[in-house]
């Protein structure tokens, strides 16, 4: 039982670390894409404040996107797979 708890805790910590790394990486890619989009074709009379506003609006849109929500699978999917395997091995 102690071995299983150790595995569960280490697995949860590993999944959390993977989640945060993937989240930070994905956000940085989206932010860089928004910056490149603005730099490639800035509107006439663009200001640095306008650039910052454009990037912040794009990041707010990203926060509501499906891609952002799918990153949660990094935490959920391994737990579900382990649970199903435990059930199948013991009860099926």
């Amino acid at each position: 039982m102690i071995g299983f708890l150790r595995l569960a805790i280490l697995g949860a910590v590993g999944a959390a670390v993977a989640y945060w790394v993937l989240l930070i990486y994905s956000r940085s890619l989206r932010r860089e894409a928004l910056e490149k989009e603005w730099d490639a074709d800035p509107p006439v009379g663009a200001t640095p404040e306008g650039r910052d506003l454009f990037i912040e609006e794009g990041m707010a849109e990203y926060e509501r996107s499906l891609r952002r929500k799918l990153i949660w699978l990094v935490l959920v999917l391994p737990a579900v797979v382990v649970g199903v395997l435990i059930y199948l091995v013991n009860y099926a």
Side-chain angles (χ1 to χ4, degrees):
M1 185 67 172
I2 296 295
F4 176 72
L5 288 176
R6 185 181 308 155
L7 174 67
I9 291 170
L10 288 176
V13 168
V17 168
Y19 169 77
W20 284 107
V21 168
L22 186 60
L23 181 67
I24 291 168
Y25 179 69
S26 181
R27 283 183 54 86
S28 71
L29 286 180
R30 181 64 188 144
R31 185 173 194 89
E32 186 175 341
L34 288 167
E35 290 171 353
K36 285 182 181 180
E37 182 180 336
W38 177 272
D39 293 340
D41 189 25
V44 177
T47 62
E49 293 81 20
R51 182 179 190 266
D52 292 339
L53 182 61
F54 174 76
I55 292 171
E56 290 307 315
E57 287 174 355
M59 291 306 292
E61 206 174 286
Y62 169 77
E63 292 297 325
R64 296 184 303 269
S65 71
L66 179 64
R67 182 178 182 183
R68 168 83 160 90
K69 291 176 178 97
L70 286 176
I71 294 176
W72 276 100
L73 289 177
V74 170
L75 292 175
V76 175
L77 197 59
V80 169
V81 168
V82 168
V84 168
L85 286 175
I86 289 171
Y87 174 78
L88 290 175
V89 167
N90 291 316
Y91 303 111

